Amino acid sequence: MESKILAGLKFDPGILIIGMLVLMLLMLIYIFQLHKKQNQLDKKYRAFMRGGRGAKSLDEALENKLASLNNIEDVNNSLNERLLRLEKSSGRSYQKIGIVKYDAFKEMGGKLSFAYAMLNYRNDGFIINSIYSKEGCYSYIKEIIKGESYLPLADEEEEALNMAMQYGMENE
């Protein structure tokens, strides 16, 4: 029995069969190499998931990282709460100061009298004016609301108030 397809070829069909066998052999070798690489990757994957050689498994590592992130989040929330409390309390504290030393009386030297202004960030606070004389030392206090006094201010008090209101503005 002769094949009409093979009879029509102008070369020996045995060469075609040998070529096909060589091609199949090369493909078989390639498949074995792929299978070997697949097995190696599979072993590495299992070792990674299992946590080989004293290492943690992926699940354990992820759980630890998530716990760490939760801890960081808790600490961050705690710090934010503390920061809010500090910001609230700093609004009640006096942050701006201004002091002017002067001689209240011409015959007295040494600039022992002073006007001292203390303000918060809203420019609310007070001015203490301490006047030194031969008879004694007298202190007066004037309330400051939004940078203004309802009582008249002496020149030194006005200067101390302006110093306090400008305090820290050179850094902004």
Side-chain angles (χ1 to χ4, degrees):
M1 149 165 83
E2 271 191 47
S3 170
K4 292 182 182 179
I5 296 174
L6 294 177
L9 294 175
K10 296 185 180 183
F11 59 89
D12 187 13
I15 294 175
L16 183 63
I17 293 172
I18 291 173
M20 297 281 279
L21 285 174
V22 169
L23 185 62
M24 283 178 35
L25 183 64
L26 289 174
M27 288 178 67
L28 214 88
I29 291 171
Y30 184 67
I31 288 172
F32 282 129
Q33 286 178 344
L34 287 177
H35 184 67
K36 184 179 175 183
K37 285 184 181 180
Q38 177 65 35
N39 284 340
Q40 289 173 347
L41 285 174
D42 194 39
K43 284 179 186 177
K44 286 181 182 178
Y45 172 75
R46 280 194 226 120
F48 177 71
M49 293 303 284
R50 196 175 50 246
R53 293 187 198 165
K56 296 177 183 175
S57 71
L58 182 61
D59 290 338
E60 290 174 11
L62 285 175
E63 284 177 14
N64 289 341
K65 288 299 176 189
L66 286 175
S68 176
L69 285 175
N70 287 338
N71 187 31
I72 289 171
E73 186 177 343
D74 292 343
V75 168
N76 188 37
N77 290 338
S78 172
L79 289 174
N80 282 337
E81 289 174 11
R82 289 178 63 191
L83 182 62
L84 287 173
R85 285 195 307 268
L86 282 172
E87 286 175 347
K88 265 186 176 178
S89 69
S90 72
R92 294 186 299 264
S93 66
Y94 296 109
Q95 305 159 5
K96 302 176 178 184
I97 59 168
I99 189 164
V100 174
K101 293 177 71 174
Y102 64 98
D103 289 324
F105 303 102
K106 301 275 188 229
E107 68 274 357
M108 305 273 308
K111 294 188 176 184
L112 298 175
S113 299
F114 64 88
Y116 183 65
M118 292 179 67
L119 305 174
N120 64 13
Y121 76 98
R122 290 184 301 240
N123 290 331
D124 295 339
F126 57 89
I127 295 176
I128 296 175
N129 192 354
S130 179
I131 300 174
Y132 181 79
S133 70
K134 289 180 184 177
E135 290 84 31
C137 183
Y138 304 96
S139 297
Y140 304 94
I141 190 166
K142 295 181 182 174
E143 184 179 24
I144 304 298
I145 299 174
K146 295 182 182 173
E148 296 182 9
S149 172
Y150 293 107
L151 298 172
L153 297 177
D155 292 342
E156 293 83 5
E157 294 170 330
E158 189 76 41
E159 186 179 348
L161 177 62
N162 289 333
M163 284 174 69
M165 289 185 5
Q166 296 300 315
Y167 188 84
M169 292 183 74
E170 62 274 356
N171 295 334
E172 293 178 5

